[in-house]
Amino acid sequence: AMVGGWGEPGDLAQGADHLTLVNSIAEVLQDTRPLNLQMFHRDKAEEPLASELRWPCPEFFGEQRGFSVDKATRISQRGAVTWWHLDDCGEFTYQAALPLLEHTFGNHSLLLGPTGKPVVKIFIFADKKAYDLIVQDEEVNRTGRFHGLHLLDSPELCFPSPQDLEKADNKNVSGSEWPVFTVALLEAGGPPLLSPPNVQHVVLTLQNCVMVEERLVSVLFLDEVAYFLNLVNSWAEPPILYDFVREGLRNAATVDTVVDLLLTILDGECGASNSGDVGGIHPSPAIGKVTKERAFLSL
């Protein structure tokens, strides 16, 4: 299990200081340190709770369009943090937090989300285009330590003043604006959260909780897979590459099937009357236009 957090700027990238062995789920929740345990379910005979997740947008994630690559259950203590990271292989991650019993809240403050349920995790996403500022891979490779923007402990001198930003704007200097951060709240027993591919993010845990998740690669977003593979070429420590990416997309039969589907979508959505009616999926004209664009980019 991870102790306190993973990937905090300044920590050793391959150190074991933030890792510990546990023998049971009870240990994760009873430890005096904020532990964060992620259990992957890779035994095909298993039927984890994540299998019950019902993905939205069949136009992008439905049968033959989305390939499930991993499922996991995460048990987290309040105070655990996962610092800036990308989900693997250009995947989408769909996650839901299980309901909490009232007596598990403790005496600390409780944040309620938009649906009135307790917020257990806060996801902070940064602009994709700001990757080099947020996650500084060259420094990680050079020093062996995580480098990046520390949201909770960055000296004021590291930030430009409003006057500096105004001058840069007036000169139309590229990158004169700081990245926009998007905050998403995951509620216990509330709506699931869909994380986009290749968007660096931090996750803060506010309550002891259990979260289930499924990871999926969409054939309509294969450009995101290519982006990820190109990005990790510079990483000193290689990431996990799923079988579907490492082997499936090199298999001639799989590639032919994917290309045929994309061409069918592209051809169908160029049609007029039932735009996008492919494989029993009937998108609206607006969604049909988007799937056509995505099919083109994936090809």
Side-chain angles (χ1 to χ4, degrees), residues 18-29:
H18 288 274
L19 298 174
T20 188
L21 292 175
V22 295
N23 295 312
S24 67
I25 300 300
E27 282 189 32
V28 178
L29 298 176

Side-chain angles (χ1 to χ4, degrees), residues 1 47 53 68-69 155 157 171 184 188 191 207 209 221 230 248 254 264 283 288:
E47 283 295 333
L53 289 170
S68 179
V69 291
L157 59 87
K171 295 179 181 180
Q207 307 287 342
C209 63
F221 289 84
N230 181 66
T254 302
T264 301

Side-chain angles (χ1 to χ4, degrees), residues 59-60 65 220 265-266 268-271 274-277 282-297:
E59 300 87 357
F60 304 120
R65 301 188 180 203
L220 286 161
I265 293 173
L266 196 58
E269 289 166 19
C270 288
N274 57 344
S275 172
D277 182 359
H282 313 280
S284 66
I287 295 296
K289 180 181 179 181
V290 174
T291 55
K292 172 186 172 182
E293 293 171 352
R294 294 306 318 165
F296 178 80
L297 290 171

Side-chain angles (χ1 to χ4, degrees), residues 59-274:
E59 300 87 357
F60 304 120
F61 309 122
E63 187 177 357
Q64 294 187 320
R65 301 188 180 203
F67 289 82
S68 179
V69 291
D70 226 338
K71 296 173 184 174
T73 300
R74 188 186 291 267
I75 299 95
S76 307
Q77 271 204 55
R78 179 175 182 265
V81 181
T82 302
W83 286 89
W84 297 113
H85 65 287
L86 298 179
D87 294 329
D88 292 316
C89 291
E91 67 193 0
F92 288 83
T93 303
Y94 199 45
Q95 52 239 322
L98 303 188
L100 295 178
L101 299 175
E102 289 188 11
H103 70 269
T104 63
F105 297 157
N107 297 322
H108 50 265
S109 58
L110 193 67
L111 175 65
L112 299 181
T115 70
K117 297 178 179 179
V119 174
V120 292
K121 287 181 180 285
I122 296 178
F123 289 68
I124 303 174
F125 297 91
D127 283 346
K128 183 177 177 180
K129 62 184 178 183
Y131 180 86
D132 289 335
L133 168 67
I134 303 298
V135 185
Q136 298 159 15
D137 289 338
E138 290 186 5
E139 287 300 303
V140 178
N141 293 340
R142 186 179 68 84
T143 65
R145 294 181 179 273
F146 291 110
H147 281 259
L149 180 65
H150 199 308
L151 286 177
L152 309 178
D153 188 25
S154 289
E156 187 176 348
L157 59 87
C158 293
F159 295 88
S161 67
Q163 293 78 14
D164 292 334
L165 289 176
E166 184 177 355
K167 290 178 182 177
D169 283 337
N170 291 337
K171 295 179 181 180
N172 196 28
V173 176
S174 176
S176 61
E177 294 183 1
W178 280 90
V180 174
F181 296 96
T182 301
V183 177
L185 306 178
L186 184 66
E187 301 175 58
L193 173 66
L194 180 62
S195 295
N198 294 320
V199 179
Q200 59 271 21
H201 56 286
V202 169
V203 184
L204 313 174
T205 303
L206 303 189
Q207 307 287 342
N208 292 359
C209 63
V210 177
M211 183 181 79
V212 297
E213 60 187 45
E214 184 175 20
R215 296 156 183 265
L216 179 151
V217 172
S218 172
V219 298
L220 286 161
F221 289 84
L222 292 181
D223 55 314
E224 295 288 358
V225 176
Y227 172 93
F228 181 85
L229 294 176
N230 181 66
L231 182 67
V232 303
N233 278 333
S234 64
W235 290 9
E237 186 69 18
I240 292 174
L241 295 181
Y242 298 118
D243 289 345
F244 175 75
V245 173
R246 189 179 64 251
E247 299 174 5
L249 292 180
R250 293 181 177 179
N251 178 279
T254 302
V255 172
D256 286 346
T257 299
V258 169
V259 170
D260 286 346
L261 173 64
L262 294 174
L263 289 174
T264 301
I265 293 173
L266 196 58
D267 180 66
E269 289 166 19
C270 288
S273 58
N274 57 344

